[in-house]
Amino acid sequence: MSVIAGNLQGIRQRIRDAADKAGRPLQAIRLIAVSKTFPADAVAEAIDCGQADFGENYVQEAIAKMDTLQQLHPGARPIWHFIGPIQSNKTRQIAERFDWVHSIDRLKIAQRLSEQRPAGMKPLQACIQVNISGEASKGGVAPEQLAGLAAQVAVLPGLRLRGLMAIPEPAEDFSRQRQPFARLRALALELQSRGLPCTELSMGMSADLEAAIAEGATLVRIGTAIFGKRNHGQDN
Ligand SMILES: *Cc1c(COP(=O)(O)O)cnc(C)c1O
């Protein structure tokens, strides 16, 4: 078995175990394979192992990879998730090439994505990124500003608001890992009580996916545990 095939089996087992422990149905949790920094043939290999969803955080790199993949694997129709910081001058490519965007954190970006979503495509599935640990260096809207932004995003015609995303500060201890995920879940419930369609929780990475699933993650974003370690300096 190849390394990627073995890693995917291992991750699926971790997700199964965590879902069992939390008493949650496995179908409620979708695995996004984060292929940033890895080439199109790694994506093709994961597709051959039944992986459907892929995450990328640099637009240029992602689009080159999608184009190469089309040549390598013409029949493949992966679902692409944009999970990185969004610059205004990159919104058109995101709107035209991705199925999901997880990292909306201001209205101007959401408006551009909505306007630039091609008319023939389904609305872009959207999560709002929340700066859940309050780190100055991290993207995401402050929790206090979330409800206002969510209400504005929910009515944009080219987007379909689905939920929230967060990248918490790393923590070693399981109960410490759970705290920010619990806060994100509480924020999503609050938005739901206001009638906003925020049922998706995009949270959990290689090191903390069990804690995220325990707190209700519906989209887990896993890179290292599937594709291996990334080279230093290519991460963000
Ligand atoms: C890189 C990245 C991931 C994957 O992280 P791993 O620790 O490699 O699993 C998840 N989410 C975002 C936003 C990322 O940039």
Side-chain angles (χ1 to χ4, degrees):
M1 195 191 311
S2 78
V3 172
I4 289 175
N7 287 347
L8 269 170
Q9 276 195 2
I11 272 292
R12 289 175 185 144
Q13 187 62 50
R14 278 177 68 187
I15 293 172
R16 256 196 306 278
D17 291 345
D20 280 349
K21 223 175 202 162
R24 300 184 54 209
L26 188 59
Q27 314 85 264
I29 302 154
R30 186 154 155 183
L31 170 60
I32 300 172
V34 178
S35 45
K36 66 185 185 196
T37 79
F38 290 93
D41 54 342
V43 174
E45 202 179 325
I47 289 172
D48 289 336
C49 302
Q51 179 59 32
D53 291 83
F54 293 88
E56 289 283 339
N57 69 341
Y58 294 101
V59 176
Q60 242 48 56
E61 178 196 334
I63 285 173
K65 201 174 298 184
M66 291 172 188
D67 293 342
T68 308
L69 184 69
Q70 214 133 56
Q71 322 245 298
L72 280 177
H73 210 317
R77 290 284 174 273
I79 298 163
W80 290 102
H81 298 251
F82 191 77
I83 61 174
I86 307 174
Q87 295 166 306
S88 300
N89 63 353
K90 298 285 162 45
T91 53
R92 182 175 298 282
Q93 288 167 300
I94 294 172
E96 290 178 352
R97 302 295 299 266
F98 283 82
D99 302 288
W100 281 73
V101 58
H102 295 228
S103 41
I104 288 177
D105 63 359
R106 54 196 196 277
L107 182 61
K108 183 183 156 210
I109 292 292
Q111 286 170 329
R112 290 177 64 94
L113 289 168
S114 176
E115 279 160 19
Q116 293 167 342
R117 183 68 168 173
M121 293 174 86
K122 286 209 310 189
L124 185 58
Q125 309 295 299
C127 292
I128 295 177
Q129 182 176 351
V130 183
N131 188 350
I132 203 74
S133 303
E135 292 170 275
S137 63
K138 282 279 165 64
V141 64
E144 306 75 54
Q145 259 115 58
L146 173 63
L149 179 61
Q152 289 171 303
V153 170
V155 297
L156 294 173
L159 300 185
R160 181 164 164 225
L161 180 61
R162 299 295 302 273
L164 303 180
M165 182 271 243
I167 311 171
E169 205 166 19
E172 296 286 319
D173 173 61
F174 187 70
S175 68
R176 293 271 295 279
Q177 288 180 348
R178 284 183 71 154
Q179 289 165 14
F181 295 139
R183 289 202 296 279
L184 194 72
R185 170 159 71 163
L187 290 169
L189 286 173
E190 196 182 310
L191 296 177
Q192 286 178 45
S193 75
R194 297 175 189 227
L196 292 166
C198 284
T199 52
E200 303 287 340
L201 289 172
S202 169
M203 59 191 199
M205 318 203 314
S206 296
D208 57 13
L209 89 90
E210 285 82 4
I213 288 173
E215 293 297 343
T218 63
L219 301 159
V220 292
R221 311 177 311 266
I222 309 297
T224 311
I226 296 172
F227 296 107
K229 267 204 156 65
R230 293 177 290 274
N231 290 326
H232 185 71
Q234 293 182 301
D235 213 348
N236 80 351

